[in-house]
Amino acid sequence: MDADATVRPDRHGPAAGLARSPAGWVLAATLLALGGGAVARAASAAAAGDALWAAGGVVGALHATWSTGASLRRGRVGVDVVAVLALVGALAVGELLAAAVVAVMVATGRALETWAAGRARRDLHALLQRAPRVAHRYEGGGVRTVALDDVRPGDVLVVGPGEVVPVDGNLLTDGALDESALTGEALPVTRQVGDAVRSGVVNAGAALDLRTTTTAAASTYAGIVRLVADAEATPAPFVRLADRFALWFLALTVVLAGATWAAAGAARAVAVLVVATPCPLILAAPVALVAGLSRVSRRGVVVKGGGALERLARCTTLLVDKTGTLTGGRPELAGVVTSGVLPADEVLRLAGSLDQLSPHVLASAVVQAARDRGLGLVLPEDVEEVAGQGIRGVVDGADVALGNAAWTGVPPAVPWAKAARRRARLDGALTVFVSVGGRPAGVLVLDDPVRSDAARTVRSLRRSGIDRIVMVTGDRADVAETVGAVIGVDAVLAERSPADKLDAVRSERRRAPTVMVGDGINDAPALALADVGVAMGARGATASSEAADVVLTVDRLDRIGEARVVARRSRRIAVQSVVAGMGMSIAAMGVAAAGHLPAVWGAVLQEGIDVAAIANALRALGGGRRTVLAGGDAALARRFTGEHQAVRAALDDVRAAADAVGSAQPARAMALVREAHAALVSVVLPHEEAEQQELYPALDRVIGGTDPTGPMTRAHVEIAHQVRRLGQLVEEIGPGVPDGEEEAELRRLLYGLHAVLRLHTAQEEESYLSLGEDEPAPPAAEARRDA
């Protein structure tokens, strides 16, 4: 990252920046002239007072002339021309007090613009201000401070407490990190050895070591800095439209002032010019849109300029990629199917221990699943891995093998293996077979799960005005249709190449303004072609982030909905400010032309119009968010989210028992049924009861209404009832084996419990447990206001 190219905002904030800006100095000079003239007049020194007022008018005229010239050099013609005419006219006709007041008014308008823009950009600038310039690299047995551009992939860096991680890399030591600058999440997170860490996060604990994986220029934070710079440099279409309105307003002002001069003289014409200067038209629109950019940046959304924000507000169609966007983009353990030799947790523990030394993409998912369940992993010995086949080694003295069925010696025709394959095929998942001591032990089923916030985000987008949502993916049609049905999209386009995705974007753009969301290199062309391209930049490819108009620096899909709500609100406020400001100015010009508004009082009135327009534009910085769960309630949500890991382990036991009934040896099947029932009684029921007693009352208080968690409470009752029925049936069967009718009833109860618990857990995570943070205002309310 080039430090010289990085914007360094004023560390003392917008007010201090204003004090040192030209607008601040001009405002001070004109105020002194106006006040000094008033004091001189009061002291019967009329000549001195007039001289001070005239000097203030001259200073104002020179500043307005300089601003006009600067605008012309940028190809913009605005109402600064009216300010010059008003000041020169007031001085020419001897309205010295009016000239001094207009000079103060013009300087105040510029100062307000400078302050408001600085206030609106403050959060964007905060990203730039934190950009690191140096790194601490291990060299020759010590630590040396080097320029950031000197860091290369593979270097080992140390990051001290409170320091910003300068370059992307993988941790060599455990650490606690504050990721709020990139994600908007306030609480520090704990990362373990081997975890990927992005530049821009802050070390919130003891010093940590990491091995870099990229250069500084290619790191996450450098990319965000470039995006922010682009965002500030690109004017929005509405701002450019405001410039065209300014030309019309200028023409109207000059025509009306000329007509007034011809009909009633120069003094009244000056009054018309004074009341028309400066127009809030060119102040309010950019302030409101930049305020919107600033607000979404606090939520981990970098929008590349007001133009993209404005287009996002108008889009009504959403095209979305599946992998990494609607799904997590990384494989996760979906379940463990056992052969009956070992319990599911022991199969996973042995597999996770062996996979610690494997670089395979699925190995990290197996290891993470074992750690999430609190299983004690050990280092394997005599490890051998063959690409495309699997891995084998010794764990706790036992020979363990992972891989395909042939590598592990699992006969493909055995019932439990066939059931696992069938399950994987239906769910679009992968299977990893496990053998222990030369005997088949089980199958690990891994899939790419749908994000817990995906369905809620889709519903939120629909309420905010998106009327068509299409999933575009290169995945198989059966898998894509399943995901599309779960989240509720309008259409599914499967098995699409990058070229096919481009065709899909073109087709949808002919119908309506279109947003495309993706995260991979293959999505970059479609992102560039769409009206608004949104890249999941938290894990997405650099190419997609560069091609996109909007980049999510946090791995959360729901921030798209938040950004669209903010975009619509910002544009609405910009339009309100411009229309109201122009309307009041035109009305005041009519009053002045009729001779009822002297130049001095017209200047004061116009100042009030400017202040009102800019103050209204700054509303785009706030509002529209509410805290759903906070403090202790949010902690409860996080606690129960963590407990869902144990619930999922119990679900695996229930599914394994259901699959075993009627297919495995009856005695072994009943052993699995008893284990599943024990897990339901010891893990699931206490969890559901605790939610009912602790979490649901908190949700009722916050959500409001009449019994908002009533349907979920009914699910708790049904789960407890079915577990009780399962227990009664197990007790009736006793130590023996079930007959045909009892096997059918066991399967019905077990599969039913598995389905109900899986649905209930997903509903809780989607509707309740994901609300433990700031949320946008209800999009439906925003849509009603826009209408």
Side-chain angles (χ1 to χ4, degrees), residues 708-731:
T709 57
M712 304 300 282
T713 297
R714 179 66 183 86
H716 284 170
V717 173
E718 181 64 22
I719 290 167
H721 174 62
Q722 294 301 326
V723 172
R724 185 167 54 252
R725 291 189 62 188
L726 177 63
Q728 291 172 345
L729 181 57
V730 169
E731 186 176 349

Side-chain angles (χ1 to χ4, degrees), residues 14-414:
L18 172 61
R20 290 191 290 274
S21 69
W25 287 107
V26 173
L27 177 59
T30 53
L31 281 172
L32 285 173
L34 179 62
V39 171
R41 280 274 187 168
S44 301
D50 288 346
L52 285 169
W53 285 343
V58 170
V59 171
L62 291 173
H63 181 59
T65 302
W66 177 84
S67 297
T68 300
S71 296
L72 289 172
R73 286 192 297 272
R74 294 193 300 268
R76 298 174 62 181
V77 180
V79 290
D80 284 333
V81 175
V82 182
V84 174
L85 294 176
L87 285 164
V88 172
L91 290 170
V93 301
E95 289 279 0
L96 300 181
L97 175 58
V101 172
V102 170
V104 171
M105 178 191 68
V106 172
T108 303
R110 288 299 172 192
L112 280 172
E113 183 182 12
T114 299
W115 175 85
R119 171 70 177 86
R121 289 181 170 92
R122 186 174 61 186
D123 296 292
L124 291 175
H125 283 165
L127 289 172
L128 303 174
Q129 189 173 11
R130 297 173 62 260
R133 300 176 179 83
V134 298
H136 309 298
R137 183 169 63 192
Y138 283 106
E139 289 185 11
V143 176
R144 180 187 172 196
T145 299
V146 298
L148 202 58
D149 290 337
D150 293 337
V151 176
R152 294 292 178 264
D155 287 349
V156 178
L157 307 181
V158 58
V159 182
E163 291 184 351
V164 176
V165 174
V167 181
D168 294 354
N170 294 323
L171 286 179
L172 301 177
T173 56
D174 294 345
L177 299 171
D178 175 3
E179 300 183 346
S180 58
L182 300 185
T183 67
E185 305 294 345
L187 296 177
V189 296
T190 300
R191 300 296 184 192
Q192 298 176 334
V193 174
D195 285 353
V197 176
R198 294 178 292 161
S199 59
V201 303
V202 177
N203 181 10
L208 57 85
D209 296 341
L210 81 156
R211 186 179 303 279
T212 62
T213 56
T214 185
T215 62
S219 288
T220 299
Y221 207 70
I224 292 174
V225 168
R226 288 193 295 270
L227 297 180
V228 172
D230 291 343
E232 292 194 275
T234 307
F238 185 75
V239 175
R240 295 192 291 270
L241 182 61
D243 289 342
R244 292 196 292 272
F245 285 158
L247 288 174
W248 302 338
F249 187 79
L250 171 60
L252 174 63
T253 300
V254 171
V255 170
L256 183 58
T260 303
W261 191 339
R268 195 177 292 185
V270 169
V272 172
L273 292 172
V274 165
V275 82
T277 309
C279 179
L281 181 66
I282 58 172
L283 305 180
V287 166
L289 293 174
V290 171
L293 297 177
S294 179
R295 185 175 159 208
V296 297
S297 75
R298 297 200 299 263
R299 301 294 290 157
V301 182
V302 176
V303 182
K304 297 181 182 178
L309 191 73
E310 205 180 329
R311 293 196 303 275
L312 181 61
R314 296 198 307 268
C315 289
T316 57
T317 296
L318 178 74
L319 292 178
V320 58
D321 181 46
K322 181 182 77 71
T323 304
T325 305
L326 294 174
T327 64
R330 290 174 296 191
E332 294 184 10
L333 183 72
V336 181
V337 178
T338 70
S339 65
V341 175
L342 294 171
D345 277 357
E346 180 62 11
V347 172
L348 179 59
R349 186 187 74 85
L350 294 172
S353 297
L354 181 58
D355 261 344
Q356 289 179 104
L357 299 187
S358 173
H360 195 279
V361 65
L362 299 180
S364 59
V366 175
V367 173
Q368 189 61 50
R371 287 174 174 165
D372 288 343
R373 296 191 184 186
L375 306 178
L377 303 183
V378 298
L379 283 178
E381 300 174 342
D382 300 330
V383 176
E384 175 194 3
E385 185 164 8
V386 176
Q389 299 295 319
I391 184 173
R392 62 166 65 100
V394 179
V395 179
D396 283 342
D399 292 327
V400 180
L402 307 178
N404 58 40
W407 174 266
T408 55
V410 177
V414 295

Side-chain angles (χ1 to χ4, degrees), residues 316-318 458 462 466-471 481 484-485 487-493 511:
T316 57
T317 296
L318 178 74
V458 166
R462 291 191 190 281
I466 295 289
D467 57 24
R468 177 171 169 81
I469 300 175
V470 180
M471 187 176 77
E481 291 286 354
I487 65 172
V489 300
D490 296 300
V492 174
L493 304 178
R511 175 187 172 275

